[in-house]
Amino acid sequence: MSKIIDGKALSMSIKEDIKDKVSAAVSAGLRRPCLAVLIVGDNPASRSYVKGKVSAAEFVGIDSPLIELPESISNEELLAEVRRLNEDPSVDGILVQLPLPGHIDADAVLDAIAVSKDVDGFNPANVAALWLGRPCFVPCTPRGVISLIESTGVEISGKTAVVVGRSNIVGKPVAKLLLDRNATVTIAHSRTKDLASVTRQADILVAAVGCPGMISADMIKPGAVVIDVGINRTADGRLAGDVDYEGASEVAGYITPVPGGVGPMTIAMLMENTFESYSHSMVAPGLEEMS
Ligand code: BQF
């Protein structure tokens, strides 16, 4: 039986920590940190994610004005909204909830977010900085994945890591962060031949494919650390991961559940990134507007 990596508990302790830091800053006379949250349209999943983010912000003491925009908004109007927030010195972080409606140029929106407020880390300048090993905002889910692996105490350096999935939001940045920690990293994907023979090599296996239960017990090396990034909604409305949890937990050394694994850590890391942005602007106020 594997040990369960409790993402809910870890996210809670991270948020408690941020809450203390915010409270100390406010006691010292500083303004509260601020995360502006933009949502376009009324996709129910997006609504629920945004609700979770706003409530986490409230818990840690970060202001989180919710900017609800109609599905019918034009590209230009949305860009104008982002630019307004870029210029507002009381805003530390800007989050545009994805996915955006089809008629919106999502790339143009992400390009428009000021790099210094890009707490999701999706602006291409942040992505470039990540891959160059320069200071940057690390995307929230990948940062949460690393934090979960580190919480096991299992050393990453020298290990074989396999990331299944190559998205810009999860797979690719997770692979880079593992590489930074000296893992030997393979990125597998839908065209990988004999996927099971690849995943069975993994001391650390990260599943980010978006296919419920796709990673079965026979694909896992005994004792491996298994991180399940999948958030799939089943027909009966419940959440399911990419890993067959029941089977995998008989083989893995450590495993994250869904729900209660990576998801809550994504939110905690968003708070972490927002506090980081805030700290920067408190040390060097005004520099943001210049860069
Ligand atoms: C949990 C997301 C796909 C597409 C866009 C806690 C979240 C999820 C699960 C959450 C996700 C997934 C988010 C749990 C944010 C993660 O208890 O297991 C939190 O809110 N997420 C998102 O903002 O956009 C997505 C997945």
PDB file of all heavy atoms in Angstrom, residues 8 45-46 48-50 52-53 95 97-99 120 141 169 229-231 233 239 257-267, ligand 1:
ATOM      1  N   LYS A   8      -4.347  18.489   0.155  1.00  0.00           N
ATOM      2  CA  LYS A   8      -5.259  19.385   0.867  1.00  0.00           C
ATOM      3  C   LYS A   8      -4.563  19.920   2.134  1.00  0.00           C
ATOM      4  O   LYS A   8      -4.554  21.126   2.385  1.00  0.00           O
ATOM      5  CB  LYS A   8      -6.532  18.595   1.231  1.00  0.00           C
ATOM      6  CG  LYS A   8      -7.613  19.389   1.903  1.00  0.00           C
ATOM      7  CD  LYS A   8      -8.476  20.115   0.887  1.00  0.00           C
ATOM      8  CE  LYS A   8      -9.140  21.301   1.577  1.00  0.00           C
ATOM      9  NZ  LYS A   8      -9.711  22.262   0.656  1.00  0.00           N
ATOM     10  N   ALA A  45     -17.449  25.085 -14.810  1.00  0.00           N
ATOM     11  CA  ALA A  45     -16.180  24.638 -14.230  1.00  0.00           C
ATOM     12  C   ALA A  45     -15.310  25.854 -13.906  1.00  0.00           C
ATOM     13  O   ALA A  45     -14.743  25.957 -12.815  1.00  0.00           O
ATOM     14  CB  ALA A  45     -15.456  23.694 -15.186  1.00  0.00           C
ATOM     15  N   SER A  46     -15.235  26.795 -14.846  1.00  0.00           N
ATOM     16  CA  SER A  46     -14.442  28.009 -14.628  1.00  0.00           C
ATOM     17  C   SER A  46     -14.959  28.784 -13.420  1.00  0.00           C
ATOM     18  O   SER A  46     -14.186  29.287 -12.608  1.00  0.00           O
ATOM     19  CB  SER A  46     -14.485  28.908 -15.866  1.00  0.00           C
ATOM     20  OG  SER A  46     -13.806  28.287 -16.935  1.00  0.00           O
ATOM     21  N   SER A  48     -16.438  27.602 -10.844  1.00  0.00           N
ATOM     22  CA  SER A  48     -16.099  26.918  -9.597  1.00  0.00           C
ATOM     23  C   SER A  48     -14.605  27.081  -9.279  1.00  0.00           C
ATOM     24  O   SER A  48     -14.237  27.271  -8.121  1.00  0.00           O
ATOM     25  CB  SER A  48     -16.566  25.460  -9.657  1.00  0.00           C
ATOM     26  OG  SER A  48     -15.485  24.576  -9.610  1.00  0.00           O
ATOM     27  N   TYR A  49     -13.750  27.059 -10.286  1.00  0.00           N
ATOM     28  CA  TYR A  49     -12.318  27.296 -10.047  1.00  0.00           C
ATOM     29  C   TYR A  49     -12.080  28.707  -9.502  1.00  0.00           C
ATOM     30  O   TYR A  49     -11.315  28.908  -8.560  1.00  0.00           O
ATOM     31  CB  TYR A  49     -11.508  27.114 -11.339  1.00  0.00           C
ATOM     32  CG  TYR A  49     -11.513  25.700 -11.886  1.00  0.00           C
ATOM     33  CD1 TYR A  49     -11.547  25.459 -13.256  1.00  0.00           C
ATOM     34  CD2 TYR A  49     -11.473  24.605 -11.025  1.00  0.00           C
ATOM     35  CE1 TYR A  49     -11.547  24.165 -13.757  1.00  0.00           C
ATOM     36  CE2 TYR A  49     -11.476  23.305 -11.526  1.00  0.00           C
ATOM     37  CZ  TYR A  49     -11.514  23.097 -12.891  1.00  0.00           C
ATOM     38  OH  TYR A  49     -11.509  21.815 -13.393  1.00  0.00           O
ATOM     39  N   VAL A  50     -12.771  29.676 -10.117  1.00  0.00           N
ATOM     40  CA  VAL A  50     -12.613  31.073  -9.706  1.00  0.00           C
ATOM     41  C   VAL A  50     -13.098  31.275  -8.266  1.00  0.00           C
ATOM     42  O   VAL A  50     -12.480  31.983  -7.472  1.00  0.00           O
ATOM     43  CB  VAL A  50     -13.355  31.996 -10.703  1.00  0.00           C
ATOM     44  CG1 VAL A  50     -13.703  33.328 -10.080  1.00  0.00           C
ATOM     45  CG2 VAL A  50     -12.503  32.203 -11.958  1.00  0.00           C
ATOM     46  N   GLY A  52     -13.056  29.063  -5.921  1.00  0.00           N
ATOM     47  CA  GLY A  52     -12.019  28.489  -5.049  1.00  0.00           C
ATOM     48  C   GLY A  52     -10.836  29.432  -4.879  1.00  0.00           C
ATOM     49  O   GLY A  52     -10.279  29.554  -3.781  1.00  0.00           O
ATOM     50  N   LYS A  53     -10.465  30.116  -5.956  1.00  0.00           N
ATOM     51  CA  LYS A  53      -9.324  31.037  -5.905  1.00  0.00           C
ATOM     52  C   LYS A  53      -9.649  32.255  -5.052  1.00  0.00           C
ATOM     53  O   LYS A  53      -8.836  32.681  -4.220  1.00  0.00           O
ATOM     54  CB  LYS A  53      -8.928  31.444  -7.337  1.00  0.00           C
ATOM     55  CG  LYS A  53      -8.334  30.284  -8.131  1.00  0.00           C
ATOM     56  CD  LYS A  53      -8.155  30.578  -9.618  1.00  0.00           C
ATOM     57  CE  LYS A  53      -7.800  29.279 -10.351  1.00  0.00           C
ATOM     58  NZ  LYS A  53      -7.535  29.476 -11.790  1.00  0.00           N
ATOM     59  N   LEU A  95      -5.082  37.449 -12.893  1.00  0.00           N
ATOM     60  CA  LEU A  95      -5.397  36.093 -13.318  1.00  0.00           C
ATOM     61  C   LEU A  95      -6.558  36.129 -14.291  1.00  0.00           C
ATOM     62  O   LEU A  95      -7.619  36.658 -13.961  1.00  0.00           O
ATOM     63  CB  LEU A  95      -5.770  35.239 -12.099  1.00  0.00           C
ATOM     64  CG  LEU A  95      -6.139  33.806 -12.468  1.00  0.00           C
ATOM     65  CD1 LEU A  95      -5.464  32.846 -11.537  1.00  0.00           C
ATOM     66  CD2 LEU A  95      -7.628  33.604 -12.497  1.00  0.00           C
ATOM     67  N   GLN A  97      -8.995  33.700 -16.029  1.00  0.00           N
ATOM     68  CA  GLN A  97      -9.409  32.298 -15.969  1.00  0.00           C
ATOM     69  C   GLN A  97      -9.519  31.704 -17.375  1.00  0.00           C
ATOM     70  O   GLN A  97     -10.168  32.281 -18.246  1.00  0.00           O
ATOM     71  CB  GLN A  97     -10.748  32.173 -15.226  1.00  0.00           C
ATOM     72  CG  GLN A  97     -11.236  30.751 -15.072  1.00  0.00           C
ATOM     73  CD  GLN A  97     -10.274  29.885 -14.259  1.00  0.00           C
ATOM     74  OE1 GLN A  97      -9.753  30.309 -13.226  1.00  0.00           O
ATOM     75  NE2 GLN A  97     -10.011  28.675 -14.724  1.00  0.00           N
ATOM     76  N   LEU A  98      -8.900  30.556 -17.552  1.00  0.00           N
ATOM     77  CA  LEU A  98      -8.950  29.842 -18.826  1.00  0.00           C
ATOM     78  C   LEU A  98      -9.886  28.637 -18.689  1.00  0.00           C
ATOM     79  O   LEU A  98     -10.063  28.143 -17.592  1.00  0.00           O
ATOM     80  CB  LEU A  98      -7.543  29.376 -19.214  1.00  0.00           C
ATOM     81  CG  LEU A  98      -6.495  30.491 -19.385  1.00  0.00           C
ATOM     82  CD1 LEU A  98      -5.136  29.881 -19.718  1.00  0.00           C
ATOM     83  CD2 LEU A  98      -6.915  31.507 -20.439  1.00  0.00           C
ATOM     84  N   PRO A  99     -10.472  28.151 -19.765  1.00  0.00           N
ATOM     85  CA  PRO A  99     -10.329  28.628 -21.138  1.00  0.00           C
ATOM     86  C   PRO A  99     -11.166  29.873 -21.406  1.00  0.00           C
ATOM     87  O   PRO A  99     -12.177  30.102 -20.747  1.00  0.00           O
ATOM     88  CB  PRO A  99     -10.854  27.453 -21.954  1.00  0.00           C
ATOM     89  CG  PRO A  99     -11.840  26.755 -21.067  1.00  0.00           C
ATOM     90  CD  PRO A  99     -11.344  26.956 -19.663  1.00  0.00           C
ATOM     91  N   ASP A 120       0.167  33.617 -13.036  1.00  0.00           N
ATOM     92  CA  ASP A 120      -0.019  32.278 -13.619  1.00  0.00           C
ATOM     93  C   ASP A 120       1.236  31.825 -14.373  1.00  0.00           C
ATOM     94  O   ASP A 120       1.390  30.646 -14.670  1.00  0.00           O
ATOM     95  CB  ASP A 120      -1.225  32.267 -14.579  1.00  0.00           C
ATOM     96  CG  ASP A 120      -2.488  31.688 -13.941  1.00  0.00           C
ATOM     97  OD1 ASP A 120      -2.366  30.985 -12.917  1.00  0.00           O
ATOM     98  OD2 ASP A 120      -3.585  31.935 -14.489  1.00  0.00           O
ATOM     99  N   THR A 141       0.383  25.109 -11.170  1.00  0.00           N
ATOM    100  CA  THR A 141       0.242  23.649 -11.073  1.00  0.00           C
ATOM    101  C   THR A 141       1.612  22.952 -11.063  1.00  0.00           C
ATOM    102  O   THR A 141       1.858  22.108 -10.192  1.00  0.00           O
ATOM    103  CB  THR A 141      -0.672  23.109 -12.196  1.00  0.00           C
ATOM    104  OG1 THR A 141      -1.963  23.703 -12.054  1.00  0.00           O
ATOM    105  CG2 THR A 141      -0.810  21.600 -12.132  1.00  0.00           C
ATOM    106  N   ILE A 169       0.827  24.323 -20.090  1.00  0.00           N
ATOM    107  CA  ILE A 169       0.438  24.716 -18.734  1.00  0.00           C
ATOM    108  C   ILE A 169       0.971  23.748 -17.694  1.00  0.00           C
ATOM    109  O   ILE A 169       1.306  24.149 -16.584  1.00  0.00           O
ATOM    110  CB  ILE A 169      -1.114  24.848 -18.664  1.00  0.00           C
ATOM    111  CG1 ILE A 169      -1.560  26.052 -19.498  1.00  0.00           C
ATOM    112  CG2 ILE A 169      -1.605  24.949 -17.237  1.00  0.00           C
ATOM    113  CD1 ILE A 169      -3.056  26.269 -19.545  1.00  0.00           C
ATOM    114  N   VAL A 229      -2.142  14.721 -11.999  1.00  0.00           N
ATOM    115  CA  VAL A 229      -2.570  16.093 -12.276  1.00  0.00           C
ATOM    116  C   VAL A 229      -3.971  16.118 -12.908  1.00  0.00           C
ATOM    117  O   VAL A 229      -4.596  17.159 -13.007  1.00  0.00           O
ATOM    118  CB  VAL A 229      -1.554  16.822 -13.189  1.00  0.00           C
ATOM    119  CG1 VAL A 229      -1.906  18.297 -13.340  1.00  0.00           C
ATOM    120  CG2 VAL A 229      -0.134  16.698 -12.642  1.00  0.00           C
ATOM    121  N   GLY A 230      -4.461  14.962 -13.306  1.00  0.00           N
ATOM    122  CA  GLY A 230      -5.746  14.893 -14.012  1.00  0.00           C
ATOM    123  C   GLY A 230      -6.909  15.384 -13.176  1.00  0.00           C
ATOM    124  O   GLY A 230      -7.035  15.022 -12.009  1.00  0.00           O
ATOM    125  N   ILE A 231      -7.705  16.259 -13.762  1.00  0.00           N
ATOM    126  CA  ILE A 231      -8.965  16.698 -13.141  1.00  0.00           C
ATOM    127  C   ILE A 231     -10.030  16.425 -14.197  1.00  0.00           C
ATOM    128  O   ILE A 231     -10.297  17.253 -15.049  1.00  0.00           O
ATOM    129  CB  ILE A 231      -8.956  18.209 -12.798  1.00  0.00           C
ATOM    130  CG1 ILE A 231      -7.772  18.603 -11.919  1.00  0.00           C
ATOM    131  CG2 ILE A 231     -10.290  18.639 -12.188  1.00  0.00           C
ATOM    132  CD1 ILE A 231      -7.943  18.361 -10.441  1.00  0.00           C
ATOM    133  N   ARG A 233     -13.941  15.312 -15.116  1.00  0.00           N
ATOM    134  CA  ARG A 233     -15.295  15.197 -14.586  1.00  0.00           C
ATOM    135  C   ARG A 233     -15.954  13.955 -15.175  1.00  0.00           C
ATOM    136  O   ARG A 233     -16.044  13.814 -16.393  1.00  0.00           O
ATOM    137  CB  ARG A 233     -16.102  16.454 -14.910  1.00  0.00           C
ATOM    138  CG  ARG A 233     -16.573  17.179 -13.665  1.00  0.00           C
ATOM    139  CD  ARG A 233     -16.960  18.615 -13.975  1.00  0.00           C
ATOM    140  NE  ARG A 233     -15.974  19.562 -13.467  1.00  0.00           N
ATOM    141  CZ  ARG A 233     -15.925  19.975 -12.206  1.00  0.00           C
ATOM    142  NH1 ARG A 233     -16.811  19.529 -11.333  1.00  0.00           N
ATOM    143  NH2 ARG A 233     -15.009  20.834 -11.811  1.00  0.00           N
ATOM    144  N   LEU A 239     -15.062  14.066  -9.617  1.00  0.00           N
ATOM    145  CA  LEU A 239     -13.728  14.262 -10.174  1.00  0.00           C
ATOM    146  C   LEU A 239     -12.975  12.931 -10.212  1.00  0.00           C
ATOM    147  O   LEU A 239     -13.041  12.146  -9.273  1.00  0.00           O
ATOM    148  CB  LEU A 239     -12.942  15.262  -9.323  1.00  0.00           C
ATOM    149  CG  LEU A 239     -13.372  16.729  -9.374  1.00  0.00           C
ATOM    150  CD1 LEU A 239     -12.398  17.598  -8.595  1.00  0.00           C
ATOM    151  CD2 LEU A 239     -13.497  17.235 -10.813  1.00  0.00           C
ATOM    152  N   PRO A 257      -4.082  11.787  -4.308  1.00  0.00           N
ATOM    153  CA  PRO A 257      -5.482  11.496  -4.639  1.00  0.00           C
ATOM    154  C   PRO A 257      -6.078  12.586  -5.537  1.00  0.00           C
ATOM    155  O   PRO A 257      -5.510  13.659  -5.672  1.00  0.00           O
ATOM    156  CB  PRO A 257      -6.160  11.517  -3.268  1.00  0.00           C
ATOM    157  CG  PRO A 257      -5.364  12.495  -2.463  1.00  0.00           C
ATOM    158  CD  PRO A 257      -3.943  12.421  -2.978  1.00  0.00           C
ATOM    159  N   VAL A 258      -7.204  12.279  -6.146  1.00  0.00           N
ATOM    160  CA  VAL A 258      -8.029  13.276  -6.846  1.00  0.00           C
ATOM    161  C   VAL A 258      -9.463  13.053  -6.401  1.00  0.00           C
ATOM    162  O   VAL A 258      -9.970  11.930  -6.574  1.00  0.00           O
ATOM    163  CB  VAL A 258      -7.932  13.130  -8.380  1.00  0.00           C
ATOM    164  CG1 VAL A 258      -8.865  14.127  -9.070  1.00  0.00           C
ATOM    165  CG2 VAL A 258      -6.508  13.296  -8.876  1.00  0.00           C
ATOM    166  N   PRO A 259     -10.130  14.013  -5.832  1.00  0.00           N
ATOM    167  CA  PRO A 259      -9.627  15.353  -5.488  1.00  0.00           C
ATOM    168  C   PRO A 259      -8.698  15.316  -4.268  1.00  0.00           C
ATOM    169  O   PRO A 259      -8.493  14.256  -3.675  1.00  0.00           O
ATOM    170  CB  PRO A 259     -10.928  16.117  -5.179  1.00  0.00           C
ATOM    171  CG  PRO A 259     -11.891  15.068  -4.713  1.00  0.00           C
ATOM    172  CD  PRO A 259     -11.547  13.826  -5.483  1.00  0.00           C
ATOM    173  N   GLY A 260      -8.148  16.480  -3.939  1.00  0.00           N
ATOM    174  CA  GLY A 260      -7.358  16.609  -2.716  1.00  0.00           C
ATOM    175  C   GLY A 260      -5.861  16.397  -2.894  1.00  0.00           C
ATOM    176  O   GLY A 260      -5.144  16.239  -1.912  1.00  0.00           O
ATOM    177  N   GLY A 261      -5.402  16.387  -4.155  1.00  0.00           N
ATOM    178  CA  GLY A 261      -3.970  16.233  -4.408  1.00  0.00           C
ATOM    179  C   GLY A 261      -3.375  17.495  -5.004  1.00  0.00           C
ATOM    180  O   GLY A 261      -3.097  18.466  -4.293  1.00  0.00           O
ATOM    181  N   VAL A 262      -3.213  17.480  -6.321  1.00  0.00           N
ATOM    182  CA  VAL A 262      -2.593  18.607  -7.021  1.00  0.00           C
ATOM    183  C   VAL A 262      -3.505  19.843  -7.021  1.00  0.00           C
ATOM    184  O   VAL A 262      -3.015  20.974  -6.890  1.00  0.00           O
ATOM    185  CB  VAL A 262      -2.223  18.207  -8.471  1.00  0.00           C
ATOM    186  CG1 VAL A 262      -1.701  19.396  -9.252  1.00  0.00           C
ATOM    187  CG2 VAL A 262      -1.192  17.077  -8.469  1.00  0.00           C
ATOM    188  N   GLY A 263      -4.815  19.645  -7.168  1.00  0.00           N
ATOM    189  CA  GLY A 263      -5.758  20.769  -7.291  1.00  0.00           C
ATOM    190  C   GLY A 263      -5.607  21.822  -6.203  1.00  0.00           C
ATOM    191  O   GLY A 263      -5.385  23.002  -6.502  1.00  0.00           O
ATOM    192  N   PRO A 264      -5.697  21.418  -4.932  1.00  0.00           N
ATOM    193  CA  PRO A 264      -5.558  22.410  -3.868  1.00  0.00           C
ATOM    194  C   PRO A 264      -4.180  23.087  -3.852  1.00  0.00           C
ATOM    195  O   PRO A 264      -4.061  24.247  -3.457  1.00  0.00           O
ATOM    196  CB  PRO A 264      -5.758  21.590  -2.587  1.00  0.00           C
ATOM    197  CG  PRO A 264      -6.446  20.341  -3.000  1.00  0.00           C
ATOM    198  CD  PRO A 264      -6.064  20.094  -4.414  1.00  0.00           C
ATOM    199  N   MET A 265      -3.151  22.351  -4.307  1.00  0.00           N
ATOM    200  CA  MET A 265      -1.803  22.927  -4.350  1.00  0.00           C
ATOM    201  C   MET A 265      -1.691  24.000  -5.429  1.00  0.00           C
ATOM    202  O   MET A 265      -0.956  24.980  -5.276  1.00  0.00           O
ATOM    203  CB  MET A 265      -0.767  21.828  -4.593  1.00  0.00           C
ATOM    204  CG  MET A 265      -0.555  20.942  -3.392  1.00  0.00           C
ATOM    205  SD  MET A 265       0.073  21.863  -1.981  1.00  0.00           S
ATOM    206  CE  MET A 265       1.747  22.169  -2.537  1.00  0.00           C
ATOM    207  N   THR A 266      -2.419  23.812  -6.531  1.00  0.00           N
ATOM    208  CA  THR A 266      -2.447  24.833  -7.585  1.00  0.00           C
ATOM    209  C   THR A 266      -2.914  26.169  -6.991  1.00  0.00           C
ATOM    210  O   THR A 266      -2.323  27.226  -7.257  1.00  0.00           O
ATOM    211  CB  THR A 266      -3.402  24.398  -8.724  1.00  0.00           C
ATOM    212  OG1 THR A 266      -2.882  23.214  -9.322  1.00  0.00           O
ATOM    213  CG2 THR A 266      -3.559  25.484  -9.775  1.00  0.00           C
ATOM    214  N   ILE A 267      -3.954  26.093  -6.193  1.00  0.00           N
ATOM    215  CA  ILE A 267      -4.529  27.298  -5.599  1.00  0.00           C
ATOM    216  C   ILE A 267      -3.549  27.915  -4.584  1.00  0.00           C
ATOM    217  O   ILE A 267      -3.340  29.136  -4.560  1.00  0.00           O
ATOM    218  CB  ILE A 267      -5.873  26.988  -4.910  1.00  0.00           C
ATOM    219  CG1 ILE A 267      -6.814  26.208  -5.845  1.00  0.00           C
ATOM    220  CG2 ILE A 267      -6.541  28.262  -4.411  1.00  0.00           C
ATOM    221  CD1 ILE A 267      -7.180  26.902  -7.127  1.00  0.00           C
TER     222      ILE A 267
HETATM  223  C1  BQF B   1      -9.274  19.296  -5.672  1.00  0.00           C
HETATM  224  C2  BQF B   1      -8.275  23.542 -14.302  1.00  0.00           C
HETATM  225  C3  BQF B   1      -8.554  22.202 -16.273  1.00  0.00           C
HETATM  226  C4  BQF B   1      -8.795  23.344 -17.042  1.00  0.00           C
HETATM  227  C5  BQF B   1      -8.754  24.590 -16.444  1.00  0.00           C
HETATM  228  C6  BQF B   1      -8.981  21.754  -5.981  1.00  0.00           C
HETATM  229  C7  BQF B   1      -9.017  22.749  -8.171  1.00  0.00           C
HETATM  230  C8  BQF B   1      -9.281  21.516  -8.714  1.00  0.00           C
HETATM  231  C9  BQF B   1      -9.367  20.390  -7.904  1.00  0.00           C
HETATM  232  C10 BQF B   1      -8.873  23.975  -9.017  1.00  0.00           C
HETATM  233  C11 BQF B   1      -8.034  23.705 -12.881  1.00  0.00           C
HETATM  234  C12 BQF B   1      -7.798  22.514 -12.006  1.00  0.00           C
HETATM  235  C13 BQF B   1      -8.067  24.987 -12.344  1.00  0.00           C
HETATM  236  C14 BQF B   1      -9.229  20.509  -6.545  1.00  0.00           C
HETATM  237  C15 BQF B   1      -7.890  25.241 -10.877  1.00  0.00           C
HETATM  238  C16 BQF B   1      -7.293  22.907 -10.637  1.00  0.00           C
HETATM  239  O1  BQF B   1      -9.696  19.384  -4.508  1.00  0.00           O
HETATM  240  O2  BQF B   1      -8.818  18.244  -6.128  1.00  0.00           O
HETATM  241  C17 BQF B   1      -8.865  22.866  -6.801  1.00  0.00           C
HETATM  242  O3  BQF B   1      -9.508  24.953  -8.701  1.00  0.00           O
HETATM  243  N1  BQF B   1      -8.040  24.030 -10.118  1.00  0.00           N
HETATM  244  C18 BQF B   1      -8.296  26.095 -13.206  1.00  0.00           C
HETATM  245  O4  BQF B   1      -8.312  27.234 -12.773  1.00  0.00           O
HETATM  246  O5  BQF B   1      -8.488  25.909 -14.502  1.00  0.00           O
HETATM  247  C19 BQF B   1      -8.508  24.682 -15.084  1.00  0.00           C
HETATM  248  C20 BQF B   1      -8.298  22.291 -14.929  1.00  0.00           C
END
